[in-house]
Amino acid sequence: MSLQCGIIGITNVGKSTLFNCMSSTKVETTNFAFSSNKSNIGVINVPDNRLYALEKLQPTEKIIPATVEIVDIPGLTKGANQGEGVGNKFLGDIRNTDALIHVLRCFDDENLSHVDGSVDPVRDIETIDFELQVQDVDSVEKKIQRYQKLAKVGDKDAKHGIEVLTGLKQHLESMQNARDYEIKDADKKHLDDLFLFTSKPIIYVCNVDDASAVNGNHYVEKVKETLKDQNTEILVIAGKLEAEIADLEDIDDRNEFLADAGLTEPGVNKLIRGAYSLLNLMSFFTVGPKEIRAWTIKRGMTAPQAAGAIHSDLERGFIRSEVMKYDDFMQLGSEAKVKEAGKFHVEGKNYIVDDGDILHIRFNV
Ligand SMILES: Nc1nc2c(ncn2[C@@H]2O[C@H](COP(=O)(O)OP(=O)(O)OP(=O)(O)O)[C@@H](O)[C@H]2O)c(=O)[nH]1
Ligand SMILES: [Mg+2]
């Protein structure tokens, strides 16, 4: 399942720094604007404490977490839509992603200049949004033109499509994002093939100074105020601090460092889980003495489709799936106890898998 979440933002706001906290492949971070000149993909483990809790009940040889692909994309700048900075080239990389993490500089640092002269995350949101909205208006206009040709020869669906898209165009031109455009489900088909930038689900990350890791700062307050009516999540992460923590080899050192900063887990863990869920992904588990493993599926997938995530043979030859809920297993302590309590289920082809289900697939090929 290669869905990707892209990290976007102005140059020098800490995108690569955050990427490095998540990924074991490291990329260069520098003080220079536009230091990244290509996008980098990281296959990143999704932190899930349930795997370690399961291991306490079922000792195992190895634990294999789910993964998610995150792409570190070089910074955009004003005029990217006209080829300014390194911008244009990377709009294509953003287009290819399925969800976005928008990093905002919310820290002061005299030694690190901001390309637009001052630290102002609200202006930065507007700058990036504008670049993406301009692209989206362009896509929408092109589709309206195609519909106009069809409407001329009497296509009613196209006529209605023009109304929907014209509304969307006005919405974009008033500097709003497609994801906040209210639209009937039946009308979504007019937008679906456009892959608009501003309709991608998004998380904002306020990259703050160490002291603001827990409670944020005045920049974060402004960001929250600006985004209050938008359909999005906002995370506060102290990027530089987290990079130092991620560099520590020893787990006890890391925990001590985190505790000193007032954190119970790295902020990037929340970010990775957020990206996973933004992509509409979730995990089911297989549990045994050889391995305990989290498998990735899209929300709403059936048991045979989930079986297919393990191996295509399991989907093809699917007979049934034995299902235990994670919470039942943890509470009751063993498969036998789950059975005794009548909570062990045998499910067929139409079963929709839940996040955290422990599955055993029966198949025959
Ligand atoms: N003080 C401070 N500096 C930071 C923080 N996060 C990143 N930096 C510094 O900011 C500079 C730029 O960071 P990068 O991660 O390379 O920025 P980027 O957003 O990837 O930049 P481009 O790739 O050029 O778009 C580096 O010198 C980082 O050490 C932070 O939270 N606080
Ligand atoms: Mg970078």
Side-chain angles (χ1 to χ4, degrees), residues 15-16 28 35-36 72:
K15 297 182 297 300
S16 298
E28 195 186 12
S35 65
S36 303
D72 174 35

Side-chain angles (χ1 to χ4, degrees), residues 11-17 19 27-30 34-38 40 72-75:
T11 185
N12 256 348
V13 293
K15 297 182 297 300
S16 298
T17 302
F19 177 83
V27 300
E28 195 186 12
T29 62
T30 70
F34 306 115
S35 65
S36 303
N37 55 19
K38 71 178 187 55
N40 292 290
D72 174 35
I73 301 172

Side-chain angles (χ1 to χ4, degrees), residues 199-245:
S199 67
K200 294 181 196 293
I202 193 164
I203 297 179
Y204 286 88
V205 172
C206 295
N207 185 12
V208 297
D209 51 288
D210 299 8
S212 309
V214 178
N215 296 317
N217 56 26
H218 66 287
Y219 295 125
V220 176
E221 291 315 310
K222 284 193 188 130
V223 169
K224 284 187 175 161
E225 176 60 25
T226 304
L227 297 176
K228 69 178 187 315
D229 297 325
Q230 294 191 29
N231 188 4
T232 185
E233 192 184 341
I234 302 166
L235 293 178
V236 176
I237 301 181
K240 205 168 172 190
L241 173 80
E242 300 241 348
E244 285 159 18
I245 295 174

